[in-house]
Amino acid sequence: MRFQPQLTYTQNGQTVRLRYSTYAELKKRIKDAVRNSDDGEVFVSRSRRGEWGEWFEYWTLRKGKPKIDREGWM
């Protein structure tokens, strides 16, 4: 089974988790997710080609554009 990228954030005190078939599909929707997030930050977990394990990213908006704030390997 292939690992699917996942987007997680908190909206109105509830945790929202969304899975996408590809990382490209997730990135198309990340701006709206950051805007809907209570704290203006979303957590992304995904795999990376040629890498073992799970990669994580925290995204925020800077100057109206989504940018990776922190990232690393889990």
Side-chain angles (χ1 to χ4, degrees):
M1 184 172 153
R2 199 174 114 240
F3 181 80
Q4 292 183 310
Q6 180 173 295
L7 180 69
T8 307
Y9 62 95
T10 305
Q11 183 178 18
N12 300 322
Q14 300 291 322
T15 301
V16 177
R17 282 190 184 90
L18 304 169
R19 288 183 187 247
Y20 296 92
S21 56
T22 64
Y23 183 64
E25 189 68 31
L26 180 146
K27 284 179 64 175
K28 289 178 187 176
R29 292 170 174 70
I30 204 156
K31 189 173 186 177
D32 289 333
V34 174
R35 286 183 178 156
N36 292 333
S37 171
D38 290 345
D39 60 0
E41 183 174 77
V42 298
F43 175 79
V44 172
S45 58
R46 68 186 187 105
S47 62
R48 290 181 83 172
R49 184 180 304 210
E51 302 268 341
W52 180 85
E54 195 173 323
W55 197 258
F56 71 88
E57 302 164 344
Y58 284 93
W59 288 75
T60 58
L61 289 181
R62 285 192 223 143
K63 297 182 181 179
K65 295 184 179 183
K67 299 287 181 184
I68 296 174
D69 191 43
R70 299 181 310 277
E71 63 183 331
W73 176 81
M74 288 197 259

